[in-house]
Structures are given as structure tokens and as C-alpha cells.
Amino acid sequence: MAEKKDLDFTYTTIDKIFRLSMGESADYSGAKYDGNFTMSLEEAQKQKHQFIADSLNIKKGSKVLDMACGWGPFIKYVTQERGAACIGLTLSEGQAEACQNNDMNVLVKDCRTVTPDDYGTFDAISCIGGLEHFCSITQWQSGKQESIYANFFQTLNYLLPTGGRFYMQTMTFAKNMVDFETIDVNAEKGSAAHVMALMIKEFPGSWLPYGPEMVIRNAKPYFKLISQSSGRKDYIETIRQWRKKFRAFSFKKYALYLSLLPKLLTDREFRHQVAVFRISPNKICFEKEVMEHYRLVFEKL
Ligand SMILES: C[S@@+](CC[C@H](N)C(=O)[O-])C[C@H]1O[C@@H](n2cnc3c(N)ncnc32)[C@H](O)[C@@H]1O
């Protein structure tokens, strides 16, 4: 799995820039436009929150666990708009600190190791864009991917009552995924092999499930699938909007960009990371159907 150092690399590094661009508690996962791209990003993210909260039957007084909570957008929604109580978990120090400064109950903890002894059980659990980080390339290569997801659903099984709901959305590999051996930062620019190499640089320690089937199969001993939908096109639009927001001028943000210039000139890995913002390899992967994106609602048997 991606370890804390990997997730700090991915998320804590961009913490200030992200919050200056998107707002203090914004989503860093695909929004829900349902094909209506006249909506603003904020409206589409809110539509996603409503969909998840409705799917999970979250109401006043519900006890919710938001695994992989990022900067806390779903926590903010369920506590402020639905009157629920919510604990969030992240492995990024920067995100946890930002959430705590915004009065959210967020801890730095590996969500895959939570047991009822930690915080009791929950009425509902979400994991929005977290599963992508649960299996590393090395673990995939040594045949551990299925058991990692199986163990995760066993963890969830202990944390929910019968009939309790779990929502997740995750990127998956899709029909045009390339052979691992061809993935190379020096491959033709913009090719699947090139953009996949940039994805690996940006998300060290992370490897995706092979389609939603792989996830659903491992949930099956404990959960039935309630609904499944693709968010691939919605994610492409989300990334398009993020790109605009990362570029939008603010004095504080551009001063921060400027201060990173020496690092950019001397640090090769950092240059790869910046390429992610210049090129958006995840957008290209969705466009080329190297990757898909799914929203899955489960109910405990
Ligand atoms: C793409 S962000 C999604 C954040 C948030 N759910 C959202 O929708 O904005 C991925 C998040 O997964 C978290 N994460 C990844 N693996 C984790 C783990 N094992 N335990 C807790 N958090 C994890 C990262 O720290 C980060 O907050």
C-alpha cells in the first residue's frame, strides 16, 4: 500500500496550493455532474455529497466514518447539512492539520486497520478516492492485490451493523490499460505508457483494481452491491475545472509557485510531480479509457 510518506508526498506537498486554489475543505475526487456540464464544479460536488448521504441513509444523529477524508468535504457536508457525527481518517499530516483547523474531527490513521475498539461501530462508512492507494505495485506483482481488498471488506464488516451501508468511489484500470513493461517516462509524450509512468510518479505506492468486478468480488462474502455507476466522463470534467482553478491568479498562490522554482530546477522527482499539473495524466488516462472510475454502494449482509 501507499505508506504515510507516500501520501504526504502526494497530498501534504500540495496542501497550501490546493487550499488556495479550491478552498479550505474542497473535494479532491471526481464530482457528480451526471452528464450536465453546465453545472459548476461546486454544484457537482454538492450533488455527489447528496447522492452519497442519501445512499448511506445518513440523517440527524447518524454516526459516520469517512475513510481517506482528504480535506474533509464530505465530513463538512454530513455534519453541517445532515446533523450527523463524523470521524475522518487520512494518512496526510497536512490534510489532518487543515481539517483540525477547520473544526473537524480528523485523525492521522490507516483506515484499513480500524477496529470497533478504536471508535466503536458506525451507521455508515464512506471511502471516496481512497482504495486507489491500498495496493502497491510490489504487492500487485507478488499476487497480494485480491487479499488486500478482501481484508479491507472484512475490516468494514466488523465496523457496520447488518443493513449498514458503505459507499466507495475509485479509479480502476480499464480496457486500454497497457502492459506494465511498456510504462516509461521516456515513452512518446501523451501516450498511455507515458501518462501511466507519470501517474506512478505522482502516486507512489499505489496500483489500481482491475475493474469494479475485482472490488465487488472481494466484498461479496460480507456485502451486497446496491448500485454501481461510471463516473469517468464526470471525472474528466472535474479535472478540467481543477486545472483552471490551479492556474487562477492569487498573489499568495503565485508567490508560493515562485518559491518552488529552485526545487523545480534541482529536483527531478519534483519536476515529474509538477508535470502532473501541467499535463494531467489522469485526465488523459480517462480519455483514452486506460482508466475508469466507479461509484459503488454496498449494504452489509
Ligand atoms: C484522492 S484523496 C480523496 C480525499 C477525499 N475523500 C475527497 O473526496 O476529497 C485520497 C485520500 O486517501 C487518503 N488515504 C489513502 N490511503 C489511506 C489509508 N490507508 N488510510 C487513511 N487514509 C488514506 C489520503 O491521505 C487522501 O486523504
Side-chain angles (χ1 to χ4, degrees):
M1 69 166 265
E3 291 168 20
K4 186 172 170 302
K5 69 171 172 31
D6 301 320
L7 294 161
D8 273 327
F9 171 79
T10 305
Y11 298 109
T12 305
T13 314
I14 61 159
D15 170 53
K16 286 197 180 70
I17 290 174
F18 182 86
R19 286 185 290 121
L20 285 168
S21 305
M22 312 287 170
E24 276 296 307
S25 317
D27 299 76
Y28 205 24
S29 56
K32 195 163 189 297
Y33 290 89
D34 291 333
N36 175 6
F37 300 126
T38 62
M39 290 172 97
S40 69
L41 177 61
E42 290 73 19
E43 285 166 340
Q45 293 292 14
K46 183 152 190 192
Q47 178 155 283
K48 173 179 78 181
H49 299 155
Q50 286 166 339
F51 170 75
I52 302 172
D54 289 345
S55 300
L56 296 182
N57 303 318
I58 292 174
K59 45 189 185 295
K60 197 169 177 355
S62 296
K63 186 178 167 196
V64 181
L65 178 62
D66 188 25
M67 295 177 152
C69 66
W71 284 274
F74 190 60
I75 302 174
K76 190 173 169 193
Y77 177 78
V78 295
T79 52
Q80 295 187 1
E81 309 267 332
R82 301 277 172 129
C86 188
I87 297 174
L89 304 176
T90 172
L91 277 180
S92 152
E93 293 281 352
Q95 289 180 330
E97 204 182 312
C99 289
Q100 288 154 6
N101 288 339
N102 288 315
D103 294 328
M104 290 181 224
N105 186 5
V106 168
L107 304 158
V108 175
K109 183 172 173 69
D110 183 347
C111 63
R112 302 170 325 145
T113 63
V114 179
T115 72
D117 289 343
D118 292 315
Y119 321 108
T121 55
F122 294 87
D123 298 311
I125 301 179
S126 49
C127 184
I128 307 164
L131 189 104
E132 288 91 331
H133 299 296
F134 289 1
C135 179
S136 67
I137 293 178
T138 326
Q139 288 169 321
W140 163 65
Q141 285 169 328
S142 57
K144 295 196 177 123
Q145 191 170 23
E146 296 269 356
S147 65
I148 285 171
Y149 301 146
N151 290 342
F152 177 59
F153 279 99
Q154 190 174 44
T155 298
L156 293 168
N157 176 48
Y158 293 132
L159 296 173
L160 285 167
T162 300
R165 294 262 178 112
F166 169 62
Y167 174 84
M168 63 174 296
Q169 58 179 60
T170 184
M171 299 174 184
T172 69
F173 290 129
K175 59 181 184 182
N176 296 328
M177 173 56 179
V178 290
D179 280 345
F180 182 73
E181 289 65 34
T182 65
I183 296 175
D184 187 347
V185 272
N186 299 313
E188 186 194 338
K189 288 219 171 359
S191 65
H194 176 241
V195 289
M196 269 308 300
L198 293 179
M199 289 292 290
I200 292 171
K201 293 276 181 200
E202 166 66 357
F203 300 103
S206 300
W207 195 244
L208 301 181
Y210 285 81
E213 306 77 23
M214 191 177 204
V215 179
I216 296 163
R217 187 164 63 237
N218 284 292
K220 217 168 184 174
Y222 318 101
F223 290 88
K224 72 174 174 199
L225 182 69
I226 299 293
S227 75
Q228 164 181 345
S229 59
S230 166
R232 185 178 67 85
K233 290 186 179 154
D234 285 359
Y235 218 136
I236 292 171
E237 178 62 16
T238 304
I239 297 167
R240 241 172 49 79
Q241 297 304 325
W242 283 341
R243 284 172 68 89
K244 281 193 206 158
K245 285 177 188 284
F246 276 125
R247 284 189 186 138
F249 181 77
S250 101
F251 186 75
K252 240 175 157 178
K253 184 168 67 177
Y254 272 67
L256 202 57
Y257 283 148
L258 217 59
S259 73
L260 294 172
L261 217 55
K263 193 170 160 71
L264 192 68
L265 296 173
T266 53
D267 185 336
R268 201 160 168 265
E269 287 308 303
F270 187 62
R271 276 202 294 279
H272 287 309
Q273 202 184 8
V274 169
V276 168
F277 294 93
R278 243 179 348 98
I279 300 169
S280 290
N282 44 3
K283 179 166 170 280
I284 301 174
C285 284
F286 286 131
E287 285 164 350
K288 288 182 179 293
E289 295 192 59
V290 170
M291 289 180 355
E292 248 290 0
H293 180 258
Y294 284 94
R295 311 177 179 109
L296 303 171
V297 180
F298 292 101
E299 185 173 293
K300 187 176 149 174
L301 298 170

